[in-house]
Amino acid sequence: PQAPSTRKDIRDCSVDPPYLPPTAINTTARLAALRGTMQTHGIHAYIVPSTDAHMSEYISERDARLGWLTGFTGSAGTAVVTQDKAALWTDSRYWTQAERELDCNWELQRTTWIESIGMWILKAVPVGGNVGLDPFLFSIDIWKSYSRALHGSGQTLLPLETNLVDQAWGDQRPLPSSSEIYSLPAEFTGSSWQEKVAGIRQRMEQHVRQPTAVLLSGLEETAWLFNLRGDDIPYNPVFYSYTLLTNTTISLFVEGSRLSAAARESLLSACPGPLCVELQEYGQVSAHLRRYAQGNVTVWLGTEYTTYGLYGVIPQEKLLEENYSPVMMAKAVKNAHEQELLRAAHVRDAVAVIQYLLWLEKMVPQGKVDEFSGAQHIDELRRAQEHNRGPSFQSISASG
């Protein structure tokens, strides 16, 4: 038999009472609230991913449903809850962290394979059971993978437009961002948004399928297209939005009251006309898309960033699917001005890194620096550089 763990920084569920480190979160009440909503909706298992409705790698606090439900704060994971079991799947980067943050309500599954999640669900849910999920939090491909994993099992994969975690979270859920959405100064853009729109429309005309519209779901797609920036997600200069660009119209789904005066003026300067941006409420995208898809249309979308919820609104024969939208492809190719700006940004960053290495050479022998104070110091050096808007992720700092 294994000797009981002597580590105090991770949980030990094999002892009675279980040992939990101070970093573990008590999730008993949260799970009870979720199970109550599951019962109301006739759901036997509910799948909770770590992403948001735009398939973002990083998410806002408001979208951290997995973190709230489980206590686990890693950036990648999936939870499944039944009436008597709860399990979290995550990859090897996060196994130790999960053992520090989970309480003993949770089984930790050391894999991320959807097949593994499917097998667990097949064992935990009776034949004829309903497996619920929010279709606006799963990409098209991942939805199809779950569908395959449960195929022929007698269990039903049930899309629920009401997010059950949000219901359980209630008024404790953080509010949406209200910060300003602003225009990027012209000297930092490769071309005007009007030129970018014209370029995308040209790609639509040249495509053999002749799409009538492009749907943009990735947050960086809309930000890039309109030369707009925001700070809805830490470390990412983006804001919650969708865009439907047709041959003759532009619909931007965003909370319009958050646009700066200059941003609003830039978007509306050519109204009415084909370069007039019609501002629509962020939450209206599904209804608008449903109406648009009733016509003789073809909607071009990138499957990597579009959720199954939006995909399902458009009839199959009216879809043009590629991995990435034409905006994502155009964004990936930098023009000469953008290349120059990238090089200059790297030079400024290199200056901060060299200053940091010099500081380390002086401070480390004196025993005056650890990983955390080191990470804080390099952030300060970078902040001192011109045009700095903060790091693109939290500094990862380790020694020894």
Side-chain angles (χ1 to χ4, degrees):
Q2 278 188 314
S5 169
T6 53
R7 286 181 64 164
K8 289 287 174 218
D9 64 331
I10 62 172
R11 64 182 183 159
D12 186 350
C13 300
S14 67
V15 296
D16 189 21
Y19 170 72
L20 294 177
T23 45
I25 299 291
N26 182 341
T27 62
T28 303
R30 297 172 187 186
L31 279 166
L34 176 62
R35 284 170 174 147
T37 64
M38 285 166 61
Q39 228 161 359
T40 308
H41 286 83
I43 295 296
H44 298 90
Y46 193 64
I47 308 174
V48 183
S50 56
T51 189
D52 64 10
H54 303 271
M55 302 293 103
S56 308
E57 183 183 358
Y58 294 87
I59 55 171
S60 70
E61 279 185 17
R62 182 174 169 80
D63 284 316
R65 297 173 179 92
L66 185 78
W68 175 80
L69 182 66
T70 64
F72 169 70
T73 59
S75 70
T78 303
V80 181
V81 176
T82 67
Q83 283 302 334
D84 58 353
K85 288 190 177 76
L88 172 79
W89 284 258
T90 190
D91 65 71
S92 56
R93 291 173 298 168
Y94 293 120
W95 292 344
T96 303
Q97 180 178 340
E99 294 288 9
R100 288 174 176 156
E101 295 180 333
L102 297 175
D103 65 7
C104 290
N105 287 311
W106 292 90
E107 299 168 23
L108 176 61
Q109 303 285 334
R110 289 174 160 80
T111 172
T112 54
W113 292 344
I114 288 175
E115 291 78 6
S116 154
I117 301 173
M119 295 289 288
W120 188 93
I121 291 171
L122 292 178
K123 283 183 194 158
V125 176
V127 173
N130 289 325
V131 179
L133 45 70
D134 180 342
F136 290 94
L137 294 182
F138 289 84
S139 72
I140 299 161
D141 291 344
I142 289 181
W143 170 278
K144 287 176 178 172
S145 298
Y146 277 111
S147 202
R148 277 195 300 273
L150 298 178
H151 183 70
S153 66
Q155 294 165 351
T156 307
L157 198 57
L158 204 61
L160 292 173
E161 303 246 336
T162 304
N163 188 290
L164 302 191
V165 175
D166 293 352
Q167 278 202 331
W169 204 347
D171 57 9
Q172 298 302 299
R173 188 180 173 212
L175 294 169
S177 174
S178 57
S179 61
E180 188 175 71
I181 299 165
Y182 57 94
S183 288
L184 205 56
E187 63 266 28
F188 295 114
T189 64
S191 40
S192 71
W193 71 258
Q194 291 90 341
E195 287 166 335
K196 290 177 180 180
V197 164
I200 301 304
R201 282 176 169 159
Q202 194 175 359
R203 287 178 181 229
M204 289 161 67
E205 276 171 37
Q206 290 165 351
H207 198 288
V208 64
R209 287 275 312 274
Q210 296 275 295
T212 59
V214 174
L215 174 65
L216 306 179
S217 292
L219 298 182
E220 62 268 45
E221 296 180 296
T222 288
W224 177 84
L225 184 65
F226 295 113
N227 293 331
L228 297 175
R229 298 293 184 267
D231 59 1
D232 291 10
I233 296 177
Y235 309 110
N236 290 260
V238 294
F239 50 94
Y240 286 103
S241 55
Y242 295 95
T243 299
L244 187 68
L245 172 66
T246 78
N247 323 49
T248 55
T249 64
I250 311 167
S251 299
L252 170 59
F253 300 86
V254 69
E255 196 182 322
S257 61
R258 294 177 51 204
L259 290 164
S260 71
R264 180 178 281 272
E265 191 182 332
S266 154
L267 297 173
L268 304 178
S269 59
C271 293
L275 286 173
C276 165
V277 179
E278 294 165 18
L279 299 175
Q280 311 262 8
E281 277 305 307
Y282 172 75
Q284 289 299 306
V285 63
S286 292
H288 184 94
L289 200 54
R290 189 171 275 113
R291 281 195 302 275
Y292 180 75
Q294 287 170 357
N296 181 22
V297 299
T298 302
V299 180
W300 191 359
L301 53 78
T303 56
E304 290 286 323
Y305 289 86
T306 308
T307 63
Y308 185 79
L310 279 185
Y311 173 81
V313 166
I314 308 160
Q316 202 64 44
E317 69 278 6
K318 296 181 180 183
L319 274 169
L320 166 56
E321 297 173 52
E322 290 181 1
N323 286 353
Y324 297 100
S325 77
V327 167
M328 210 51 121
M329 301 307 281
K331 181 171 95 68
V333 181
K334 308 300 179 191
N335 63 29
H337 182 57
E338 288 169 318
Q339 290 178 36
E340 197 183 304
L341 290 168
L342 280 168
R343 291 190 193 102
H346 276 282
V347 170
R348 290 194 300 274
D349 193 64
V351 170
V353 173
I354 292 163
Q355 289 172 331
Y356 179 58
L357 294 173
L358 188 64
W359 179 80
L360 283 179
E361 281 178 20
K362 287 179 188 163
M363 301 303 282
V364 171
Q366 298 173 32
K368 288 184 177 173
V369 60
D370 59 23
E371 288 102 326
F372 185 62
S373 63
Q376 287 181 304
H377 188 67
I378 194 166
D379 285 350
E380 277 170 35
L381 293 171
R382 284 181 160 139
R383 263 197 298 274
Q385 288 295 324
E386 193 184 7
H387 307 310
N388 185 280
R389 300 296 297 237
S392 58
F393 56 86
Q394 199 168 6
S395 289
I396 297 171
S397 179
S399 70

